[in-house]
Amino acid sequence: MNIARLRARSSLVATVLLLLLSSMNIRAQEANSFLSQLHTFRVSNYVALDAYYRFIGEGSTDTLNEIVAGINSANDSMNLLATTTSGVLSKEQLEELNSEFDKFKGLMRNNINDVRNTGYPDLRLVSDMANQALVMNDMATELYQIAQEKSQAETSTRVEAARMGAVKIAQMMAKYSVRTNSSVAQIFQGTATEVSLDEQAKEFDQLLAAMGSNQDKGELKTVLDDASAKWQFIRGSYINYNENNVGFVIDRYSKRILENLTAAISLLQQGA
């Protein structure tokens, strides 16, 4: 009888432990998914901003579609963040971020309409949107760090380096676009704490180095080597950004690097 009870208790304990481990695993997956969406949100907004600065000069439907795609991607991520059950951020924190995002979308809409209706941008509104983008993305970065600490999600250092690198190249891409567009370059002053393009390029050097490993092989090695090769091709333009350069080439290669890093993040998470 005692043996039967011990077996029953042992089975019950094992079941409880299994349920706890399963619950912890689900929470960890939710936390990692949350961080992934917050990362996508940050990148997508810079991609939309970059497209807008090019839209001022080009006014093409393709560029307008890039803006819409960037905003839609950020919007999808924001919606997923708002409905998450991970609990890593409070409802108030997410509502505050969403409020800043709504302001950014409103300014983007008004700026697009100005260019389409008059053929040129309202410099005050463009400045307001640039400042709002900085406020919003600084908040998103802070919330990312809070969520990471609170969730205790085990994200590898290489994945974090790749995510930081993706945000960095998206930031640089947008900043380069505005500096090479003569009609709005004068209003872009940045903030007192913002890092200059040449310094950001040096930071990207370090992040790119942190993503790689001598043991890399297969597809992961291919995408990281491709990102590195493309970066070496355009690095000098970011370092010496005041010189005359072909803006669309810098933008195109920066986007391809961003695609490489997105693929690398996925492969690293799969343990490739």
Side-chain angles (χ1 to χ4, degrees):
M1 190 67 176
N2 288 335
I3 292 175
R5 287 179 179 175
L6 285 172
R7 286 177 177 173
R9 286 179 181 176
S10 177
S11 177
L12 179 60
V13 169
T15 301
V16 171
L17 285 174
L18 185 61
L19 289 171
L20 284 172
L21 289 172
S22 177
S23 176
M24 289 173 64
N25 185 49
I26 291 172
R27 288 183 64 185
Q29 290 177 353
E30 288 178 344
N32 282 322
S33 176
F34 185 92
L35 291 173
S36 178
Q37 292 300 333
L38 202 47
H39 165 71
T40 300
F41 176 81
R42 292 186 294 167
V43 171
S44 298
N45 284 312
Y46 280 119
V47 169
L49 198 60
D50 164 68
Y52 171 76
Y53 292 139
R54 287 183 292 107
F55 177 70
I56 292 173
E58 300 172 9
S60 69
T61 301
D62 288 344
T63 311
L64 179 60
N65 288 339
E66 286 184 48
I67 301 173
V68 173
I71 293 294
N72 285 344
S73 175
N75 203 62
D76 289 344
S77 291
M78 190 70 247
N79 288 337
L80 288 170
L81 289 169
T83 58
T84 184
T85 57
S86 65
V88 292
L89 290 177
S90 69
K91 180 181 178 181
E92 290 73 22
Q93 286 172 315
L94 290 171
E95 285 178 348
E96 187 177 4
L97 180 60
N98 195 29
S99 176
E100 296 300 333
F101 182 44
D102 283 341
K103 293 176 186 176
F104 176 70
K105 287 188 292 184
L107 286 165
M108 178 67 81
R109 188 181 308 112
N110 292 339
N111 276 292
I112 289 172
N113 288 336
D114 274 340
V115 175
R116 297 180 74 179
N117 294 334
T118 68
Y120 54 87
D122 180 324
L123 297 186
R124 180 187 59 80
L125 278 179
V126 176
S127 179
D128 287 346
M129 182 172 66
N131 289 331
Q132 179 60 27
L134 288 170
V135 170
M136 176 183 64
N137 284 292
D138 282 349
M139 179 183 292
T141 298
E142 182 181 353
L143 291 177
Y144 183 93
Q145 294 168 347
I146 292 172
Q148 192 175 31
E149 292 172 5
K150 187 175 178 180
S151 66
Q152 296 183 332
E154 295 183 1
T155 310
S156 78
T157 55
R158 296 179 69 191
V159 168
E160 283 305 308
R163 282 179 176 171
M164 291 172 67
V167 173
K168 187 71 64 181
I169 197 71
Q171 287 176 325
M172 293 165 62
M173 188 169 66
K175 186 183 290 188
Y176 193 90
S177 288
V178 74
R179 287 189 182 278
T180 54
N181 189 316
S182 59
S183 62
V184 292
Q186 59 182 301
I187 62 93
F188 191 86
Q189 301 299 325
T191 64
T193 58
E194 192 175 17
V195 181
S196 62
L197 262 176
D198 56 332
E199 288 301 317
Q200 283 186 313
K202 293 171 185 176
E203 289 177 358
F204 188 78
D205 285 337
Q206 297 173 349
L207 291 168
L208 195 58
M211 296 173 210
S213 168
N214 293 331
Q215 281 72 49
D216 287 339
K217 57 184 178 180
E219 190 178 358
L220 178 59
K221 178 174 170 53
T222 298
V223 296
L224 288 176
D225 284 350
D226 194 38
S228 181
K230 287 181 171 61
W231 172 242
Q232 291 307 315
F233 184 77
I234 62 173
R235 181 181 183 275
S237 295
Y238 278 119
I239 295 290
N240 303 303
Y241 56 86
N242 286 322
E243 295 181 3
N244 291 326
N245 292 292
V246 183
F248 77 88
V249 173
I250 309 305
D251 195 79
R252 182 175 63 186
Y253 273 74
S254 296
K255 284 178 181 172
R256 290 181 178 177
I257 291 170
L258 185 56
E259 291 172 359
N260 288 144
L261 298 190
T262 300
I265 291 168
S266 177
L267 290 167
L268 286 166
Q269 288 177 322
Q270 295 169 22

